[in-house]
Amino acid sequence: MPKLRKIQVAALKELFNFGTENCVNDSICGKEYLDYKEQQRKNASLSALGLINHLVYLLGEDICYNDFLDQLWSWKPKQDVCELGKAFQLICKHVLSTFHLVHRSMPMYIMNHERTFFCENIIPGLLSLSKTLQFIEFKWCEAEYKSTKSLYLNTGDYDGRATDTAKNIDALGYLKTQNNIELVVVESSSGMIKENTTHTIEDTIKTLECNVAALRKEASHYNNATLETFKKLSTYGIQVIKTNVVLSKTSMVNKDKWKHVQIRNAQIPTTWNDRLLLLEYLELLATLYIDLVYSQEVQKKLVQERVNVNKPSGPLVESVIH
């Protein structure tokens, strides 16, 4: 699980309200975390997309390995499945096909390098997500995080020689809009066998910093939008630790504070016989998928408020970003 030391939590509590498995310092965020935990237990996202029942059938014991792909790709959407569900069904097919391929044979050597598990199990789902949605795109392997770079330049009086180096991200998802907000930070913190706790902590802090930097940068584009609408915009973090994948999101509370809540947690199976566990990962991807679609709608509303088409009322973003 993502981790922070007690001294780090104490330092960050002035900036963040946390609602995660390892840290709850705010009752509202704590309740949100418990609500998301209950939603995960019920596979709420997959159920909302109308896909849960057939996925349970596909991943059950009745379908053998050799028949799996034929059964998977002959899966047709039911008439009552919405368009979002039909699109995510295609994502499921690609994720499950890759899992089937990975487990075609047992590896001769099991490596603990963080990139091995990441490339085989995490990248295919994110790639399928981006190609299906089309309004989000991922950059891979040490992608430069431009939002932190911009903030470093600002705080360093635009003297590039005196600023910190930009953060590099294992996988970085950004919306293909006029601002290209860096919406999803993905960090692989360890190999599948052994965790490097120091690396885990560093990646947890990096995710928090990058999520806030993206929101601060995005706020600068919407001075005339309402604070109420901007607070609906979230940035997302995915952290991979051994075979565990955690999805969290960050949003603004007020000018001095941010909210960071864990919304899904999944364990990716390492053998074909444990394939039913993939439901957890598909639920995580479905939750991210639904949230990204919602983020696009929030972005559209922010643009409308910026140009005064959707006439804003109430406090504006400019009241908190200066």
Side-chain angles (χ1 to χ4, degrees):
M1 297 300 296
K3 296 176 178 68
L4 290 171
R5 296 176 63 204
K6 290 181 180 178
I7 190 172
Q8 294 165 330
V9 172
L12 289 169
K13 69 179 182 180
E14 300 300 321
L15 294 173
F16 286 95
N17 290 337
F18 288 106
T20 70
E21 183 172 332
N22 291 329
C23 181
V24 175
N25 66 347
D26 176 77
S27 59
I28 296 176
C29 288
K31 184 180 184 307
E32 281 191 40
Y33 165 66
L34 292 176
D35 288 344
Y36 282 122
K37 191 175 180 180
E38 179 64 13
Q39 289 174 22
Q40 176 171 335
R41 189 185 68 80
K42 295 179 178 179
N43 292 306
S45 297
L46 289 174
S47 297
L49 295 171
L51 304 177
I52 183 63
N53 291 335
H54 200 79
L55 284 170
V56 171
Y57 165 72
L58 283 171
L59 294 170
E61 297 180 357
D62 294 338
I63 301 176
C64 68
Y65 181 91
N66 292 331
D67 294 337
F68 184 78
L69 289 182
D70 288 338
Q71 291 279 347
L72 175 64
W73 287 97
S74 63
W75 177 19
K76 304 296 182 185
K78 294 183 179 179
Q79 290 185 346
D80 59 346
V81 173
C82 63
E83 291 303 313
L84 286 180
K86 292 175 183 177
F88 193 76
Q89 182 178 335
L90 181 60
I91 294 172
C92 291
K93 289 182 176 181
H94 286 296
V95 172
L96 294 175
S97 295
T98 303
F99 182 78
H100 182 273
L101 176 62
V102 167
H103 293 281
R104 187 173 182 83
S105 61
M106 292 297 294
M108 185 175 297
Y109 303 104
I110 299 178
M111 298 181 64
N112 194 50
H113 194 282
E114 64 187 59
R115 291 285 188 270
T116 305
F117 184 81
F118 185 69
C119 291
E120 290 184 349
N121 295 278
I122 305 302
I123 287 179
L126 298 176
L127 179 62
S128 179
L129 193 72
S130 68
K131 297 300 182 182
T132 302
L133 284 177
Q134 296 187 348
F135 62 77
I136 187 168
E137 190 167 310
F138 279 89
K139 293 186 281 189
W140 312 104
C141 299
E142 302 304 314
E144 185 179 69
Y145 201 82
K146 295 182 178 179
S147 295
T148 52
K149 184 177 181 179
S150 299
L151 289 176
Y152 293 158
L153 282 171
N154 190 318
T155 55
D157 198 25
Y158 300 99
D159 182 357
R161 298 167 298 178
T163 59
D164 295 331
T165 56
K167 301 293 184 185
N168 290 323
I169 309 299
D170 290 335
L172 176 60
Y174 60 94
L175 281 185
K176 294 193 285 188
T177 59
Q178 71 279 5
N179 300 332
N180 296 134
I181 179 175
E182 292 160 322
L183 202 63
V184 185
V185 171
V186 188
E187 282 295 322
S188 179
S189 300
S190 74
M192 62 179 288
I193 302 172
K194 184 178 179 180
E195 178 184 359
N196 182 333
T197 305
T198 300
H199 191 181
T200 299
I201 292 171
E202 290 172 348
D203 282 349
T204 302
I205 294 173
K206 182 199 290 187
T207 300
L208 290 171
E209 180 182 355
C210 291
N211 281 173
V212 170
L215 288 170
R216 288 177 61 188
K217 182 182 177 185
E218 195 69 3
S220 68
H221 296 290
Y222 296 112
N223 285 341
N224 295 326
T226 62
L227 200 54
E228 179 184 2
T229 301
F230 187 78
K231 287 180 179 180
K232 296 176 182 177
L233 185 66
S234 297
T235 48
Y236 299 87
I238 296 176
Q239 194 167 355
V240 185
I241 305 166
K242 296 174 68 174
T243 61
N244 194 258
V245 186
V246 177
L247 173 64
S248 57
K249 69 177 181 179
T250 302
S251 57
M252 175 184 278
V253 177
N254 53 49
K255 67 177 182 178
D256 299 315
K257 211 144 201 182
W258 306 87
K259 178 172 67 174
H260 183 79
V261 180
Q262 179 180 317
I263 58 179
R264 289 294 187 274
N265 174 38
Q267 183 179 351
I268 295 182
T270 56
T271 67
W272 177 252
N273 288 338
D274 292 331
R275 60 192 176 275
L276 190 60
L277 281 173
L278 267 179
L279 276 178
E280 289 185 350
Y281 184 55
L282 292 173
E283 170 67 17
L284 183 150
L285 284 178
T287 302
L288 178 61
Y289 169 76
I290 292 169
D291 269 36
L292 291 177
V293 172
Y294 178 72
S295 295
Q296 189 189 37
E297 295 303 313
V298 174
Q299 277 261 324
K300 289 179 180 177
K301 188 173 181 182
L302 286 169
V303 171
Q304 292 172 347
E305 292 182 355
R306 169 179 169 169
V307 297
N308 207 32
V309 172
N310 188 344
K311 297 188 182 298
S313 60
L316 301 181
V317 173
E318 66 179 356
S319 65
V320 299
I321 65 169
H322 298 300

